[in-house]
Every structure is written in structure tokens, then in C-alpha cells.
Amino acid sequence: MKKLLQSLFVSLLFTFSVMAQERTITGTVTGSEDKLPLPGVSVRIKGVKGGTLTGADGKYSIRASSGATLVFTSIGYKVIERVITGSEISVALEADENVLSEVIVSGVAAATSKEKLTVSITKLSEAQLTAVTATSIGNALAGKVAGVRTSSSGGGPGGSVDIQLRGNNNLPGVGSDPLILLDGIILNGGISAINSDDVESMEIIKGAAGSALYGSRAGNGVISIITKRGKGLSMNTTQVTLRNELALSNLADKIDLATHHPYRLATDYLTYVGQYTRYAGVTYPAGYRGAGYDPGISGNRAIDTDHYADNEYGVVNDQQDLLFGTGTNYTNYAAVSSRSEKSNIFTSFENNAQKGVIKDASGYKRQNFRLNLDHQIAPWLKLSTSNLYINTKSSTANGGFWTVIISEPDADFLQPNTDGQPYYIRVNQFNGEQTNPLYGNHKNQNSNMVNRWLGNYSANAKFTQWANLDVSHSIEIQNYDYYSYNPYDTWNSTATAYTLGGLSKESSKTSTNNTQATLNLSGKVADLLIKGKLSYLYEDRKYDFTRATGSGGLKYAGVPQLSNFTTINSTSSTEVEKAENYFAILSLDFKDRYLFDGMFRYDGSSLFGPDSRWNPYFRVSGAYRISQDLTIPGIDEFKIRAAYGTAGIRPGYSYQYEYFTLTNGVPTPSQKGNTGLKPSKTKETEFGLNVNFLKKFTFEGVYAKSTTDDQFLNVGILGFLNGGFPNEYRNAGSIESKTLELTLGANWVNNQDFSWTSNVTFSRIRQKITSLPIPPYLYGSTDGGGAQMFYIKEGETYGAMYGNDWVRSLDQMAAQLPAGKTIGDYEVNSEGYVIDKGTQGLATEKAIKLKDATGNNWYGKIGDGNADFNLGIANTFKYKGFNLYFLVDIKKGGDIYNSKNQWMTRDYRNVAMDMSGVPDGQKKTYDYFVNFYDVNVINTYWVEDASYIKFREVALGYTFSTKQLGLFKGVVKNITAKAIGRNLLTISDYKGYDPEVGSVSQPYDGINKYPNYRSFGFSLTAEF
């Protein structure tokens, strides 16, 4: 008992002693740059859970013992620690650019750290974007963000990039491109001309739950591009950056083509080998050379008796080598940034010149001029401006990827025309469709010129410690001019006469003015941190378009003016769009662990009729940071979150208006307007898990399910009940999309001399058409006369290909036996197709079309353009001054329709048709393959697996430090030299140029589709 009392007495003395040492510590936290109070700063005792937050006035109060250490942390600022020696500790926090790379500013109530996000927003840092600097910012996303799919739909120099965030929410006719913001400017033009060197970061808001803040334009997600402003520099410093890059590009691979034919050769053909192919039954004029059209030729060639494509051409040219050479990409970049006590500025210039791989195609040139400025006029007032001027000029190739692969190998592309002009146009005597691709590139004069001005001008006024106001006005002005001219002496395709010339001119001007006012609010009540916004946005867009063509022949050769043509046709149009948008967003943060976000937006747009003009959007989301309450060994951060939100798509300008076609002054109804259209609206539910563990790894898993209703469909209507109008846009149809996204980041090693980091992204997207109140229909590019294959049908996968199939087993054949036939009359050939028995190797060997129950050709699903999954793997290794980076982009599954190969079969260039060297008994006639061509009817024979492993980006560089550059006495801070590569290697079984072709939602390799090029280059960057 005595010992127990002694123990209690000692414990009480110790407790009173500790209590006596504790005191109330107070102070104020401000920003080191503007000296203004910082609300919401976390203040805690080092080594002890819990703590407090500063209020709206930046003040805090906390109980702590003398000698303990207070830790001050806030988003975007460096951590400060102070040992307690008195009862008052005030600190000034300094901005931390490294931490800012993990702070999100788009789609949220206020700047938010990644750990406190309640929705999916991915941020790409400058380091990720410039590891291999993309020629435009649109090319910088591939393989780096889970749930983002890209495809180079143009392929040529300066070409656009098709970007899709998660699933395609829209049925055909409405684009799936995300909303693009550039320093707060809502872009109406594309992003292919936005240079990557100026970009500080990109924030990708992939689903409607996250993009709800942007309302009726954000149903496809949002990409926010944030450019450099000089804020990251040390005080009173100036930095100059120079970068030069030279890259050479070429086709990564050629298409294998047949080099033999099935035509009967003349008995003396060997005498003319090396001059031309001499066919039996054809009479040639004296001195004839090459394969081009000659009016002196009589007769026609005929198929040889065995029908095998194993006869030699007299000349075999590799026209792909002749047409496709080495392209170039030059980039010259200069930037100056500076920061003083009250101002920061960033200005830059970039010159980019690209020449494609096609001979005689001029290519693409671009100049970008930028000026960004922030100035603190007074402690309560800050002015900012962002300005970008872009000038581009390009010309398009008039032939190449299609004509070169159907031209017969003896065609002489370099032969002159009969009047001495280069590149004889008709390179095949027997096929007028095979024209010389070099002639069009040489003769046609065309240009696309775009001048574009982007500007944002804003002011921030701080009224109190808890409220400030942002007012901004942004402009986007784009002038477009197109010119295409064929001179008087341009040959027609048959090389029989001049076309007498043609001229086409187009011009357009787009002017957008947006004005926005936003009241930003923040405050703290006990342990609850409150942030919010109230905002109003006014949009005003005007578009004018004019086109004129001259035809019928030039009156005076060499005068390319419209007034010099016999016939002139012109058209013009004007669009005016206005919109008003109101929104409010509230963010609650309780004890740094319980997070809530709610927003409401109300949009009105003139694109809708008077009764449907205003529409609401909203979001609710929440997260719980479990690791703030529970200590889990090895777990640094553990957060679960959920969100639900809505976002919309506006209709096209013309959808609400009636359209007529004028013929000889007589109007004919062509499109009925619908003023009752509502926005197409996406509703999304999203669940997320974020885990940081072992102080090395970060993991994010996201599952999202969305439904997009009220699609815009142009449906057929009964003309006699609708004033003669045959069509009308209506809200109908729904698409359901399910997405799984996984991202793993790893910081394997990080020490003074060596570091290794990795980033792995995985996504799987599934889409289904859940409602379609109209009959099923086909859609898709026909690209020069092919057939459509993508099928829209209720209950079907969005991206399904439909067509005919072939009988592949005797059981299938038994179910469709013609009258009088037995199963013994058929066999399965060496390629797995059912044919008439005994016809293998003969001209009568032909695969048999599969029939349905009614006896018609079976028509059904033959492919699916959606990948099983997409995977991106990026690694960065640093050893002292050396840096090695590579990005591998993997697509597993998903089909592509090889229309190029189908067309090539018509012209006997499909390499499978070449029977040279094939043993007797294994040969197949040209008729066998032409049966699969089937006059371009869509069928399974041309569906291929589009899987690939692509080495998307590779860079090996060395950075010379200031110490190593002592010769420059500190003037040159560093120099970085890099060897870079883009699309260096593609591993795929696809038979075309590139499995990554067409658009994301339409993987169709048509005759005019350009592949991605492989490029190698060298980059040199110097900082002063």
C-alpha cells in the first residue's frame, strides 16, 4: 500500500510538472512574397498527431511545451519548423515550386493538394512534358495518363491529334474532344499549334464527376494547360533559356507488296527486261519504255492460263523508297523570365518547321510569340495577363500513301510528261486510276494559313482576409485562309488533255470574347476549413466563313484570279453564339481528413431554343483520409473517395434552324430545325482509392461508370407531315461507359548520384449503346469509296464492326447446303476456309460466304475497335549528369479494319497474292484473293488485331553543371544535350504501315490515312 501511494505521488508530481511546462503558443502565418495572412495553414507539434489550422486572418493558437518543435505546412509552400522558446511564433512561408507540381487548381474550389482531391484529376509536370519535348502539346499525352487515349488522325506535319478522355460519350456526328483551357482561356481552336516548351503543367479532368464545374461544354472532360510565368525563380533574378532541336523522320516500316503478276507475257519479254513489261496480245510502238500510257499502244493484256501471280515484271521499282524520303523537324526556342518583389514576367518565341516524308510536299511552319506578366500593384491588387500569338502555314500532299501501294512496280514515277513537265501523270497504260502521286505534289499549289491571337487579362482584388475577387476577360481571334490552284497546263488523269486550271479559296474568322467574375471565399470555423467560389461567365462567339471556286478553265493562262475563270461559285455563312453561366462551389475540410466538395452550375446558351436554353449541372464528392486517424505500418497516405456529377455537350449551331437547298433559285427543304433540343448530358459515378506506401510508391485506382443521355441524332421524318423536311435533330439514345484506371508511381532509388523513378498507367474502357429509339445504322469514314462498318445498335458495344463472314467449317457448311449438294462436295482449304472440293489451287477455288437462316449473306459483328486494355510504362534514370528516359506504350486487343489491303487486292498488289517462290501444289490463283476483295464489301478477311508495343519516347542526355561550365564564369547556369527518339520501334502483327491509325473511336485504315513517323533527333538547351 505504501509503495502504491508513493507511485501515485510520483505520477502526480510528473503530471503537474508537464502541465507547468505547457503553454499557449500563438502567432500569425503570412506569405513571404506578398506578406498577406495565410488561412488554412496546418500547425502541429512534431511527433504528435493532431494540431490546428490558421484562421482567415492567418492567426493560430496551440498548446505546447517549451522546447517542442512546431511544424507549419500548407499547399504550395515549403515546410517550416520552429523550436518553442517563447509564447509567440510568427512565420512567413515561402512558395515551393516542387510542391506546387502536386497542387491542382482546375475543377476545384481552390488550390488543392493531390492528397485532398475528392475527384480524379491528373497533373503532368514540366519534367514529364519535356522529357522528350513534343512538337505540339497535343502529342504529349500518349501513354502518360490512365484513361486517356490518343491517335494521330492526320499523321502529316502539323497534323491534329484525336484525344479521348475515358469513353466516347457521343454517338456519331458529335465530337468527343475534351474542352481545352489555356491559362483560363476557353479554346475554340485546336491545340496542335500550342508549343510544349511554354507549358508548365497540364491538368486532365477525365470524367463528368470532375468536369461538372465547366457545365454544358465539359461532357467529354477537360484539359487545362498552364503556361510558365516566371514565378518559380528566386527573387530579383532573370533567366534566359535557349533550345534548339533537329529531328529526322521516316516511315518506321514499309508495306510488303506483290512484285509479280498473273498476266500472260510475250514470248520475247526477256528481251525487254529492264525497259518495260512486254505483255502478250499488246502491240508497242518503237522506242517505248516504262509502263505509262502511250496512244500508240494497241491491244490489251490477258490473264495467264494458270491464273497465278508469279510472272515477272520487266522492271521492279521500289516506289515507296522513291516517294517517301526523310522528313525534318527544326525547333528554335528562346525564353526570358524574370522575378522581382512585385512582378514576374515570362516571354518566349518559338520557330518550328516540319517537312513530311512525302517527296515535294512543302510541310508546315509555325511561329509562337508569348508574353505572360503578373504585377502586384498594391498589397490588395494584382494584375495579370497571358498572351499568345500563333502564325502557321502549311501545305498538304496531293497523293502518296494510297497511289504508291496500288501502282504496279514497273511504273516509272520519274518519267516526264509528253510536254516536258516532270512526273508523267498516267503511269499505267491499262489502269487510268493509277496516277503518279509526285505529279500532284509538284503541280498543285496550296496553302493553309492561320493567324491566331489568344489573350487573357485579369485582376485580383483582396477585400478582406477571407474574400477576394477575380475579374478576367479573354479573347481568341483566329483568321484562316486556304488557297488551292492548279495551273492551266495541269494534265488530266488520263494524260489526254490539260484541265485548263482550277482555283479554290476559303477564308474564315472566328472571334471569341469571354468575361468572368469570380468571388473567392475562405475561412475557418474551429477545425473546419471552408473554401468556395461564386462565379459568372459570359461567352460571345462569332464565326464568318466564305468560299469561292473558279472552274471551267482559265481565260488567260498564268493569272490565278477568280475573275479569270469561266465559272465562279461561292458560298458564305455566319454564326453567332452567346452564353451565360453561373456557378457556385463549396469545399469543406474537417480536421485534415474528412473532405467534402459540392458545386452547382446553371448554364444558358443561344445554341438551344428559348424553352430549353437554361440547364443545371452539379457535383457532390467526398473523401476520407484514413491514414490521418489510423497508423498503418508502411502506409504514408490512405484515402478513399467517391463522387457523382453531371456535365453536358451543346448541340451544333445549325441544329435549331431550318435549312433549304437552292437549285436555280428554287428552295428545297433539307433540314428541319428543332428549338426544343436539350443538352446531351453525362452523369457519372466515380470511386477512387489513393495509397502512398513505404515512402517510395504512390498508387491510384479509379472505377467510373457514366451514362450519357439525350444524344443528338439526325433522324429521318415524314416529309409530308413536316413541311417537306426529310430530317430533324432530336434528343435520343444513351451510351453507358465503364472505366478502370490504375496508376503506380515508384521512386526506387533517390540519392545524390543516382535516381530511378517509374510511372505505370493502366486503363480498361467498356462502352455500350443502352438505348436507341431509331433503327440501327452504320457510320464511319469511307475514305475514297470504301464502305462503312461501325454499327450503331441498341445493346451493342460502341465501336463494333459489322460485315459478312466466311464459312470456316464443314458443320457451318452443312447448315447452308445448296439444293442438290452434299457435304462431301466441300472441303476446308489450307487457309481454313470452306471451298468446293477439288478446287484448291485452281481459278475456281473461292471461299464461300456464310449465310443466315433466311439464305441471305450473314451480317453481324466481325470486330471491336475497343482495346482490351492500354498500358504505359515510363522510366527515368539519372546518374550524376546523365539522364535516360523511355516510355513504352502498349495496346492489347482491339481490332482495325485494313481497307488499304482490301483495295490493294483489287490491283493485285497484296503481297499474299504473290506466288513467286511458292511450291507447286501450294499456290493460289489471283481469283481466290479477289473473291475476298468482294468489291470493298466489309468482311472478316480484312479485320486485324491492332495490338502493339510502341517505344513512344526515348531520350538520353547529359547536363553540364555551372561548376563544369566554369569557363563561362557563372553566366551559363547549365547546358543539356539530348539524343531523342519518337515512335522508334513498333512491335505489331498488323500488315499496314501502323496499327495506330484513324481516330480513337474509328480504327479504320483507309486509303488516305497517314501513319505516325519514326523520328531521331538531337536537342541542345542552355540556361543563362
Side-chain angles (χ1 to χ4, degrees):
M1 185 67 177
K2 183 178 179 180
K3 290 183 178 180
L4 177 60
L5 289 173
Q6 288 176 339
S7 299
L8 288 172
F9 181 72
V10 171
S11 297
L12 286 170
L13 283 176
F14 177 76
T15 300
F16 283 122
S17 174
V18 170
M19 291 178 63
Q21 294 176 27
E22 276 195 350
R23 65 180 74 179
T24 299
I25 310 299
T26 61
T28 303
V29 181
T30 60
S32 63
E33 184 175 350
D34 54 17
K35 312 302 182 189
L36 294 176
L38 291 177
V41 176
S42 171
V43 185
R44 62 180 179 84
I45 303 168
K46 189 172 184 178
V48 178
K49 276 192 171 288
T52 187
L53 299 173
T54 59
D57 56 1
K59 297 184 181 299
Y60 73 94
S61 176
I62 190 172
R63 294 281 299 175
S65 302
S66 180
T69 300
L70 290 185
V71 181
F72 299 84
T73 57
S74 183
I75 298 169
Y77 293 91
K78 294 180 179 179
V79 176
I80 287 183
E81 296 185 1
R82 291 289 186 269
V83 177
I84 298 172
T85 57
S87 59
E88 182 178 350
I89 299 178
S90 294
V91 297
L93 298 187
E94 183 181 348
D96 186 346
E97 293 301 315
N98 293 325
V99 175
L100 282 173
S101 66
E102 293 299 316
V103 174
I104 305 298
V105 296
S106 307
V108 291
T112 304
S113 67
K114 187 176 180 181
E115 288 76 18
K116 292 190 177 183
L117 284 177
T118 59
V119 294
S120 281
I121 303 176
T122 300
K123 184 166 188 172
L124 291 179
S125 66
E126 181 185 356
Q128 291 173 287
L129 295 171
T130 59
V132 174
T133 306
T135 51
S136 88
I137 198 62
N139 294 305
L141 291 171
K144 297 175 184 175
V145 181
V148 176
R149 295 181 289 176
T150 68
S151 180
S152 182
S153 53
S160 62
V161 177
D162 186 30
I163 302 173
Q164 193 168 293
L165 309 185
R166 292 185 176 164
N168 185 355
N169 296 324
N170 308 300
L171 289 174
V174 178
S176 60
D177 294 332
L179 175 68
I180 306 295
L181 306 176
L182 177 66
D183 292 331
I185 304 169
I186 299 173
L187 296 190
N188 287 296
I191 63 173
S192 60
I194 306 298
N195 57 311
S196 301
D197 284 295
D198 282 351
V199 177
E200 183 176 85
S201 65
M202 293 178 70
E203 297 179 355
I204 299 96
I205 310 172
K206 289 172 282 191
S211 65
L213 185 65
Y214 302 97
S216 60
R217 300 183 66 170
N220 297 326
V222 177
I223 295 177
S224 178
I225 303 169
I226 301 163
T227 62
K228 300 170 184 176
R229 310 192 68 82
K231 293 190 296 184
L233 298 178
S234 300
M235 192 68 68
N236 298 317
T237 59
T238 298
Q239 178 174 291
V240 177
T241 302
L242 301 177
R243 190 179 81 85
N244 290 276
E245 178 185 323
L246 169 62
L248 306 178
S249 58
N250 55 31
L251 282 179
D253 202 0
K254 295 186 294 185
I255 293 180
D256 292 331
L257 299 172
T259 56
H260 293 77
H261 62 86
Y263 299 108
R264 188 160 51 93
L265 292 168
T267 55
D268 60 346
Y269 84 93
L270 286 173
T271 305
Y272 298 90
V273 169
Q275 300 178 46
Y276 65 93
T277 307
R278 191 172 180 87
Y279 298 103
V282 180
T283 302
Y284 298 88
Y288 178 76
R289 298 180 68 87
Y293 169 77
D294 190 310
I297 294 177
S298 62
N300 211 335
R301 57 189 181 182
I303 299 297
D304 210 347
T305 53
D306 62 7
H307 285 228
Y308 295 138
D310 58 0
N311 293 331
E312 294 179 328
Y313 284 97
V315 177
V316 176
N317 298 310
D318 190 333
Q319 285 119 341
Q320 292 182 89
D321 274 350
L322 177 64
L323 183 68
F324 304 131
T326 299
T328 57
N329 176 29
Y330 297 95
T331 300
N332 314 109
Y333 177 77
V336 179
S337 53
S338 182
R339 181 187 176 196
S340 63
E341 185 175 347
K342 292 186 176 182
S343 301
N344 51 270
I345 186 172
F346 177 86
T347 183
S348 70
F349 167 74
E350 178 166 299
N351 177 65
N352 177 247
Q354 303 176 40
K355 184 182 182 302
V357 301
I358 297 178
K359 184 180 177 65
D360 283 353
S362 298
Y364 171 85
K365 294 181 180 180
R366 168 176 54 81
Q367 292 83 41
N368 293 49
F369 303 83
R370 173 174 293 282
L371 173 63
N372 292 347
L373 173 66
D374 301 310
H375 182 64
Q376 195 80 41
I377 290 182
W380 60 273
L381 181 61
K382 181 179 181 180
L383 300 182
S384 298
T385 181
S386 300
N387 301 272
L388 176 62
Y389 174 75
I390 305 171
N391 176 55
T392 66
K393 182 177 181 180
S394 62
S395 64
T396 56
N398 285 276
F401 290 99
W402 163 232
T403 49
V404 74
I405 59 177
I406 64 168
S407 296
E408 294 179 4
D410 58 350
D412 183 2
F413 286 176
L414 301 181
Q415 181 180 350
N417 286 273
T418 54
D419 63 353
Q421 293 186 53
Y423 311 132
Y424 188 48
I425 188 169
R426 186 170 173 180
V427 292
N428 191 310
Q429 168 71 27
F430 308 102
N431 187 336
E433 188 174 323
Q434 294 182 10
T435 57
N436 192 335
L438 294 177
Y439 183 74
N441 292 338
H442 163 75
K443 198 66 177 176
N444 176 257
Q445 303 169 27
N446 72 82
S447 68
N448 294 272
M449 297 184 64
V450 179
N451 292 289
R452 194 172 171 195
W453 177 268
L454 301 163
N456 187 51
Y457 312 95
S458 63
N460 175 264
K462 295 186 177 180
F463 303 130
T464 69
Q465 296 167 344
W466 52 269
N468 65 83
L469 178 68
D470 285 312
V471 179
S472 67
H473 182 79
S474 64
I475 61 173
E476 179 181 6
I477 299 173
Q478 177 170 297
N479 295 307
Y480 166 77
D481 289 289
Y482 171 74
Y483 173 89
S484 178
Y485 171 60
N486 287 316
Y488 183 91
D489 59 351
T490 302
W491 283 101
N492 64 16
S493 61
T494 59
T496 55
Y498 291 153
T499 63
L500 308 184
L503 178 65
S504 176
K505 289 186 174 183
E506 291 182 9
S507 66
S508 68
K509 179 178 180 179
T510 305
S511 176
T512 304
N513 286 268
N514 296 338
T515 303
Q516 186 167 11
T518 302
L519 180 62
N520 304 292
L521 304 168
S522 65
K524 176 175 171 284
V525 179
D527 291 326
L528 179 64
L529 182 62
I530 305 170
K531 296 180 181 180
K533 286 183 181 180
L534 297 172
S535 189
Y536 169 78
L537 170 64
Y538 178 76
E539 303 174 50
D540 185 358
R541 181 184 70 90
K542 185 176 181 180
Y543 171 74
D544 291 300
F545 172 79
T546 302
R547 178 174 60 214
T549 59
S551 58
L554 283 159
K555 299 174 185 177
Y556 302 98
V559 184
Q561 300 294 328
L562 287 169
S563 58
N564 190 32
F565 282 86
T566 305
T567 303
I568 303 173
N569 292 299
S570 64
T571 183
S572 64
S573 63
T574 297
E575 297 179 5
V576 177
E577 176 190 354
K578 298 180 184 296
E580 292 186 85
N581 314 274
Y582 302 85
F583 70 84
I585 182 170
L586 175 68
S587 173
L588 302 178
D589 178 349
F590 184 64
K591 289 189 173 181
D592 232 20
R593 63 203 68 189
Y594 308 110
L595 311 170
F596 171 80
D597 184 282
M599 59 79 46
F600 179 80
R601 180 166 174 141
Y602 201 49
D603 286 5
S605 170
S606 63
L607 295 180
F608 302 97
D611 298 331
S612 305
R613 187 150 293 168
W614 291 92
N615 295 277
Y617 305 89
F618 71 93
R619 175 176 81 209
V620 290
S621 59
Y624 173 38
R625 299 177 68 193
I626 298 173
S627 53
Q628 293 296 102
D629 278 330
L630 298 176
T631 300
I632 307 173
I635 301 298
D636 310 309
E637 174 73 28
F638 193 106
K639 180 182 70 177
I640 56 174
R641 55 183 173 83
Y644 179 83
T646 61
I649 294 294
R650 296 175 185 173
Y653 178 81
S654 63
Y655 294 6
Q656 64 175 309
Y657 301 111
E658 293 179 345
Y659 274 67
F660 296 83
T661 300
L662 287 175
T663 305
N664 297 322
V666 179
T668 302
S670 60
Q671 181 73 45
K672 185 177 181 181
N674 185 351
T675 59
L677 283 175
K678 300 179 293 183
S680 174
K681 187 173 288 187
T682 299
K683 305 170 184 176
E684 184 182 63
T685 302
E686 178 184 276
F687 298 98
L689 171 67
N690 293 84
V691 183
N692 298 349
F693 54 101
L694 300 178
K695 300 192 183 300
K696 288 181 178 292
F697 303 98
T698 61
F699 171 80
E700 180 177 61
V702 179
Y703 173 78
K705 180 180 179 180
S706 67
T707 301
T708 304
D709 299 317
D710 294 325
Q711 301 279 333
F712 300 120
L713 293 178
N714 195 13
V715 302
I717 55 178
L718 297 175
F720 69 89
L721 294 178
N722 293 276
F725 291 101
N727 298 287
E728 180 186 44
Y729 276 97
R730 293 180 179 174
N731 289 119
S734 299
I735 294 176
E736 180 183 86
S737 179
K738 298 177 181 179
T739 302
L740 175 65
E741 300 167 354
L742 305 174
T743 302
L744 177 66
N747 189 358
W748 303 101
V749 181
N750 188 10
N751 56 46
Q752 184 176 353
D753 288 336
F754 179 72
S755 67
W756 172 23
T757 59
S758 300
N759 191 64
V760 181
T761 63
F762 170 92
S763 58
R764 176 180 169 87
I765 300 169
R766 290 293 172 267
Q767 301 176 107
K768 179 184 283 190
I769 303 166
T770 55
S771 173
L772 189 71
I774 62 172
Y777 64 94
L778 288 164
Y779 77 97
S781 171
T782 57
D783 209 18
Q788 295 178 317
M789 72 210 63
F790 296 99
Y791 201 54
I792 301 298
K793 175 184 176 183
E794 186 172 310
E796 184 55 271
T797 299
Y798 191 18
M801 303 174 185
Y802 269 56
N804 298 150
D805 200 0
W806 307 91
V807 180
R808 302 168 192 268
S809 72
L810 293 179
D811 288 339
Q812 285 181 318
M813 193 66 221
Q816 62 176 60
L817 283 174
K821 293 285 188 177
T822 69
I823 198 62
D825 294 325
Y826 301 94
E827 64 178 315
V828 179
N829 73 0
S830 57
E831 289 193 338
Y833 294 96
V834 171
I835 59 171
D836 288 339
K837 192 170 185 177
T839 62
Q840 286 206 60
L842 304 179
T844 51
E845 180 187 7
K846 295 180 180 179
I848 298 170
K849 281 278 186 79
L850 185 66
K851 304 292 183 180
D852 61 20
T854 64
N856 295 316
N857 288 337
W858 177 88
Y859 185 79
K861 186 174 180 178
I862 61 173
D864 183 351
N866 295 288
D868 296 337
F869 64 82
N870 293 85
L871 182 68
I873 304 172
N875 282 277
T876 301
F877 300 90
K878 294 182 180 180
Y879 176 70
K880 295 184 177 180
F882 289 96
N883 184 301
L884 172 64
Y885 161 83
F886 63 87
L887 170 65
V888 179
D889 195 4
I890 300 171
K891 178 186 177 185
K892 173 64 172 69
D895 296 311
I896 186 170
Y897 194 84
N898 194 342
S899 181
K900 273 193 180 80
N901 215 5
Q902 188 174 13
W903 277 101
M904 285 159 50
T905 303
R906 180 202 66 172
D907 294 271
Y908 310 158
R909 294 306 313 272
N910 186 341
V911 70
M913 305 176 77
D914 195 325
M915 293 294 113
S916 173
V918 177
D920 291 340
Q922 298 180 25
K923 292 184 178 183
K924 295 192 179 298
T925 65
Y926 86 95
D927 314 77
Y928 174 76
F929 297 99
V930 170
N931 182 56
F932 289 116
Y933 161 63
D934 203 19
V935 196
N936 283 316
V937 171
I938 303 300
N939 66 79
T940 54
Y941 193 82
W942 310 108
V943 177
E944 297 187 43
D945 183 5
S947 298
Y948 61 75
I949 299 174
K950 186 170 293 227
F951 286 81
R952 180 79 64 183
E953 297 176 347
V954 178
L956 176 62
Y958 185 80
T959 299
F960 298 88
S961 66
T962 304
K963 184 178 179 180
Q964 292 171 310
L965 299 170
L967 174 66
F968 298 100
K969 298 182 179 180
V971 175
V972 181
K973 295 179 181 178
N974 66 70
I975 294 177
T976 299
K978 282 185 183 180
I980 56 178
R982 303 178 181 95
N983 300 312
L984 287 185
L985 175 65
T986 299
I987 302 172
S988 175
D989 292 330
Y990 181 58
K991 298 183 181 69
Y993 285 114
D994 187 353
E996 190 185 19
V997 72
S999 66
V1000 172
S1001 56
Q1002 296 182 41
Y1004 165 73
D1005 194 358
I1007 61 176
N1008 294 316
K1009 293 294 187 291
Y1010 279 51
N1012 288 303
Y1013 303 143
R1014 172 176 58 193
S1015 68
F1016 312 81
F1018 182 78
S1019 172
L1020 185 66
T1021 304
E1023 291 186 356
F1024 302 86

